[in-house]
Amino acid sequence: MGGTTMARPPKWRWVEFVPKITHFKPAGLPMRDLDEVVLTHEELEAIRLRDREMLDQETCAKSMRISRPTFHRIIKGAREKVATALIEGKAIRISGGRYRVVKRYYHCQTCNHSWNEPLITCPPQEAHCPQCESVDIDGANAGDRHPGRHRHRGGRGEK
């Protein structure tokens, strides 16, 4: 039959780290004179997990909640982009992608205040209540707690 096939939309990729610095460029050259390479948030996360944290690909894929072949494609593309930028003297901009930020939820036992923070920015052993400064808190990875609720930021170019 002559029907068209609908492509399956890409799955969200879960990231634990969203950088505060999103532009890198060769020293001594103004941005207006440079071409740039755009690295998505999930590509940066793949580099962080595999090359910085030194995790194996299976563990990286599980962390991002994607298949190992998908992780392999993401890391391969990310490394190619970084290599191109370094060899050809291009700027790197981190932007966009299809991702959700994993968050950790906290609850203060002292004042009963609850809040959340991106997982990577607030390790549970360093967390304290922003309301009363108590360290008597409970924390849970949002991915492990309340799995059916929407509680992650993300999306195409969302900041």
Side-chain angles (χ1 to χ4, degrees):
M1 301 201 147
T4 58
T5 329
M6 295 289 291
R8 196 172 104 197
K11 292 174 72 172
W12 290 102
R13 284 73 189 260
W14 294 54
V15 302
E16 296 179 13
F17 174 72
V18 177
K20 291 181 181 165
I21 298 171
T22 58
H23 289 82
F24 298 87
K25 69 173 198 69
L29 298 171
M31 278 297 290
R32 68 179 174 272
D33 294 341
L34 295 171
D35 289 330
E36 71 177 14
V37 170
V38 178
L39 201 63
T40 65
H41 286 88
E42 59 263 30
E43 289 171 328
L44 179 64
E45 180 74 351
I47 290 172
R48 185 186 72 79
L49 292 171
R50 182 69 184 102
D51 299 331
R52 172 66 190 224
E53 301 297 326
M54 305 299 287
L55 301 174
D56 63 78
Q57 285 197 7
E58 186 68 30
T59 304
C60 295
K62 285 180 183 175
S63 176
M64 292 179 69
R65 298 183 186 181
I66 56 177
S67 70
R68 198 198 56 73
T70 298
F71 179 81
H72 178 75
R73 283 190 300 275
I74 291 171
I75 190 78
K76 183 176 183 280
R79 288 172 173 166
E80 287 172 3
K81 288 178 181 182
V82 170
T84 296
L86 293 175
I87 292 165
E88 297 179 13
K90 295 182 178 185
I92 299 172
R93 178 171 48 99
I94 301 162
S95 178
R98 186 158 177 85
Y99 68 98
R100 292 180 186 246
V101 179
V102 179
K103 293 190 177 183
R104 185 174 295 273
Y105 284 76
Y106 296 96
H107 180 257
C108 179
Q109 297 298 317
T110 305
C111 72
N112 209 32
H113 178 66
S114 295
W115 73 100
N116 65 64
E117 303 231 4
L119 190 61
I120 207 80
T121 62
C122 192
Q125 66 272 18
E126 297 175 15
H128 63 276
C129 177
Q131 189 164 304
C132 74
E133 299 295 319
S134 171
V135 293
D136 188 17
I137 61 168
D138 292 326
N141 183 334
D144 299 330
R145 186 178 180 204
H146 313 303
R149 294 190 190 161
H150 296 287
R151 67 209 151 270
H152 307 282
R153 180 182 74 122
R156 300 169 192 244
E158 190 173 318
K159 293 187 170 112

PDB file of all heavy atoms in Angstrom, residues 16 20 25 33 36 47 60 109-110 125 131 139 148 150 159:
ATOM      1  N   GLU A  16      22.664  15.090  33.697  1.00  0.00           N
ATOM      2  CA  GLU A  16      22.840  15.505  35.092  1.00  0.00           C
ATOM      3  C   GLU A  16      23.571  16.831  35.201  1.00  0.00           C
ATOM      4  O   GLU A  16      23.654  17.399  36.269  1.00  0.00           O
ATOM      5  CB  GLU A  16      23.639  14.440  35.857  1.00  0.00           C
ATOM      6  CG  GLU A  16      22.935  13.117  35.961  1.00  0.00           C
ATOM      7  CD  GLU A  16      23.764  12.072  36.695  1.00  0.00           C
ATOM      8  OE1 GLU A  16      24.777  12.437  37.337  1.00  0.00           O
ATOM      9  OE2 GLU A  16      23.409  10.894  36.622  1.00  0.00           O
ATOM     10  N   LYS A  20      27.293  26.247  33.056  1.00  0.00           N
ATOM     11  CA  LYS A  20      27.059  27.685  33.168  1.00  0.00           C
ATOM     12  C   LYS A  20      27.776  28.413  32.037  1.00  0.00           C
ATOM     13  O   LYS A  20      27.319  29.435  31.570  1.00  0.00           O
ATOM     14  CB  LYS A  20      27.551  28.196  34.518  1.00  0.00           C
ATOM     15  CG  LYS A  20      26.703  27.685  35.664  1.00  0.00           C
ATOM     16  CD  LYS A  20      27.177  28.198  37.001  1.00  0.00           C
ATOM     17  CE  LYS A  20      26.278  27.620  38.082  1.00  0.00           C
ATOM     18  NZ  LYS A  20      26.804  27.742  39.394  1.00  0.00           N
ATOM     19  N   LYS A  25      36.154  29.496  22.747  1.00  0.00           N
ATOM     20  CA  LYS A  25      36.700  29.971  21.482  1.00  0.00           C
ATOM     21  C   LYS A  25      38.217  30.030  21.564  1.00  0.00           C
ATOM     22  O   LYS A  25      38.792  30.130  22.651  1.00  0.00           O
ATOM     23  CB  LYS A  25      36.132  31.340  21.119  1.00  0.00           C
ATOM     24  CG  LYS A  25      36.603  32.463  22.013  1.00  0.00           C
ATOM     25  CD  LYS A  25      36.117  33.786  21.475  1.00  0.00           C
ATOM     26  CE  LYS A  25      36.878  34.944  22.046  1.00  0.00           C
ATOM     27  NZ  LYS A  25      38.260  35.053  21.633  1.00  0.00           N
ATOM     28  N   ASP A  33      34.769  36.677  13.911  1.00  0.00           N
ATOM     29  CA  ASP A  33      35.651  36.140  12.874  1.00  0.00           C
ATOM     30  C   ASP A  33      35.708  34.609  12.874  1.00  0.00           C
ATOM     31  O   ASP A  33      36.464  34.024  12.101  1.00  0.00           O
ATOM     32  CB  ASP A  33      37.075  36.678  13.061  1.00  0.00           C
ATOM     33  CG  ASP A  33      37.148  38.187  12.835  1.00  0.00           C
ATOM     34  OD1 ASP A  33      36.219  38.746  12.197  1.00  0.00           O
ATOM     35  OD2 ASP A  33      38.126  38.802  13.302  1.00  0.00           O
ATOM     36  N   GLU A  36      31.493  28.427  14.154  1.00  0.00           N
ATOM     37  CA  GLU A  36      31.295  27.698  15.415  1.00  0.00           C
ATOM     38  C   GLU A  36      30.706  26.319  15.169  1.00  0.00           C
ATOM     39  O   GLU A  36      30.063  26.063  14.159  1.00  0.00           O
ATOM     40  CB  GLU A  36      30.437  28.486  16.399  1.00  0.00           C
ATOM     41  CG  GLU A  36      29.000  28.611  16.060  1.00  0.00           C
ATOM     42  CD  GLU A  36      28.214  29.360  17.138  1.00  0.00           C
ATOM     43  OE1 GLU A  36      28.796  30.011  18.015  1.00  0.00           O
ATOM     44  OE2 GLU A  36      26.983  29.275  17.085  1.00  0.00           O
ATOM     45  N   ILE A  47      30.141  13.155  26.624  1.00  0.00           N
ATOM     46  CA  ILE A  47      31.577  13.391  26.840  1.00  0.00           C
ATOM     47  C   ILE A  47      31.898  13.388  28.328  1.00  0.00           C
ATOM     48  O   ILE A  47      32.887  12.806  28.768  1.00  0.00           O
ATOM     49  CB  ILE A  47      32.013  14.719  26.174  1.00  0.00           C
ATOM     50  CG1 ILE A  47      31.990  14.575  24.654  1.00  0.00           C
ATOM     51  CG2 ILE A  47      33.395  15.151  26.665  1.00  0.00           C
ATOM     52  CD1 ILE A  47      32.221  15.881  23.906  1.00  0.00           C
ATOM     53  N   CYS A  60      27.017   4.588  30.879  1.00  0.00           N
ATOM     54  CA  CYS A  60      26.669   5.912  30.346  1.00  0.00           C
ATOM     55  C   CYS A  60      25.271   5.891  29.741  1.00  0.00           C
ATOM     56  O   CYS A  60      24.462   6.792  29.991  1.00  0.00           O
ATOM     57  CB  CYS A  60      27.677   6.341  29.286  1.00  0.00           C
ATOM     58  SG  CYS A  60      29.355   6.605  29.880  1.00  0.00           S
ATOM     59  N   GLN A 109      14.018  18.017  57.476  1.00  0.00           N
ATOM     60  CA  GLN A 109      13.371  17.417  58.640  1.00  0.00           C
ATOM     61  C   GLN A 109      13.132  18.450  59.744  1.00  0.00           C
ATOM     62  O   GLN A 109      12.274  18.259  60.589  1.00  0.00           O
ATOM     63  CB  GLN A 109      14.232  16.264  59.189  1.00  0.00           C
ATOM     64  CG  GLN A 109      14.407  15.115  58.221  1.00  0.00           C
ATOM     65  CD  GLN A 109      13.084  14.459  57.868  1.00  0.00           C
ATOM     66  OE1 GLN A 109      12.242  14.228  58.719  1.00  0.00           O
ATOM     67  NE2 GLN A 109      12.901  14.194  56.587  1.00  0.00           N
ATOM     68  N   THR A 110      13.871  19.552  59.703  1.00  0.00           N
ATOM     69  CA  THR A 110      13.754  20.576  60.732  1.00  0.00           C
ATOM     70  C   THR A 110      12.555  21.501  60.507  1.00  0.00           C
ATOM     71  O   THR A 110      11.732  21.691  61.398  1.00  0.00           O
ATOM     72  CB  THR A 110      15.054  21.415  60.803  1.00  0.00           C
ATOM     73  OG1 THR A 110      16.152  20.527  61.004  1.00  0.00           O
ATOM     74  CG2 THR A 110      14.998  22.434  61.923  1.00  0.00           C
ATOM     75  N   GLN A 125      25.483  14.944  50.202  1.00  0.00           N
ATOM     76  CA  GLN A 125      26.293  15.123  51.413  1.00  0.00           C
ATOM     77  C   GLN A 125      26.598  16.591  51.698  1.00  0.00           C
ATOM     78  O   GLN A 125      26.975  16.937  52.798  1.00  0.00           O
ATOM     79  CB  GLN A 125      27.584  14.299  51.337  1.00  0.00           C
ATOM     80  CG  GLN A 125      28.559  14.730  50.267  1.00  0.00           C
ATOM     81  CD  GLN A 125      28.304  14.066  48.919  1.00  0.00           C
ATOM     82  OE1 GLN A 125      27.239  13.535  48.662  1.00  0.00           O
ATOM     83  NE2 GLN A 125      29.295  14.119  48.052  1.00  0.00           N
ATOM     84  N   GLN A 131      16.024  27.374  53.492  1.00  0.00           N
ATOM     85  CA  GLN A 131      15.137  28.167  54.339  1.00  0.00           C
ATOM     86  C   GLN A 131      15.695  28.330  55.752  1.00  0.00           C
ATOM     87  O   GLN A 131      15.738  29.426  56.278  1.00  0.00           O
ATOM     88  CB  GLN A 131      13.757  27.503  54.395  1.00  0.00           C
ATOM     89  CG  GLN A 131      12.697  28.346  55.065  1.00  0.00           C
ATOM     90  CD  GLN A 131      11.317  27.820  54.754  1.00  0.00           C
ATOM     91  OE1 GLN A 131      10.954  27.691  53.590  1.00  0.00           O
ATOM     92  NE2 GLN A 131      10.557  27.504  55.786  1.00  0.00           N
ATOM     93  N   GLY A 139      17.213  13.341  50.851  1.00  0.00           N
ATOM     94  CA  GLY A 139      17.319  13.607  49.423  1.00  0.00           C
ATOM     95  C   GLY A 139      17.084  12.336  48.635  1.00  0.00           C
ATOM     96  O   GLY A 139      17.442  11.255  49.058  1.00  0.00           O
ATOM     97  N   GLY A 148       6.447   8.552  37.728  1.00  0.00           N
ATOM     98  CA  GLY A 148       5.436   8.952  36.757  1.00  0.00           C
ATOM     99  C   GLY A 148       5.226  10.448  36.646  1.00  0.00           C
ATOM    100  O   GLY A 148       4.459  10.910  35.827  1.00  0.00           O
ATOM    101  N   HIS A 150       6.138  14.542  36.010  1.00  0.00           N
ATOM    102  CA  HIS A 150       7.012  15.393  35.200  1.00  0.00           C
ATOM    103  C   HIS A 150       7.697  16.366  36.141  1.00  0.00           C
ATOM    104  O   HIS A 150       7.060  17.137  36.816  1.00  0.00           O
ATOM    105  CB  HIS A 150       6.199  16.183  34.171  1.00  0.00           C
ATOM    106  CG  HIS A 150       5.527  15.290  33.190  1.00  0.00           C
ATOM    107  ND1 HIS A 150       6.227  14.643  32.199  1.00  0.00           N
ATOM    108  CD2 HIS A 150       4.246  14.904  33.057  1.00  0.00           C
ATOM    109  CE1 HIS A 150       5.394  13.923  31.484  1.00  0.00           C
ATOM    110  NE2 HIS A 150       4.185  14.061  31.988  1.00  0.00           N
ATOM    111  N   LYS A 159      16.419  26.922  28.019  1.00  0.00           N
ATOM    112  CA  LYS A 159      17.510  27.276  28.935  1.00  0.00           C
ATOM    113  C   LYS A 159      17.007  27.293  30.343  1.00  0.00           C
ATOM    114  O   LYS A 159      15.911  27.490  30.658  1.00  0.00           O
ATOM    115  CB  LYS A 159      18.082  28.620  28.559  1.00  0.00           C
ATOM    116  CG  LYS A 159      18.764  28.526  27.219  1.00  0.00           C
ATOM    117  CD  LYS A 159      19.491  29.804  26.919  1.00  0.00           C
ATOM    118  CE  LYS A 159      20.347  29.614  25.724  1.00  0.00           C
ATOM    119  NZ  LYS A 159      20.002  30.293  24.564  1.00  0.00           N
TER     120      LYS A 159
END
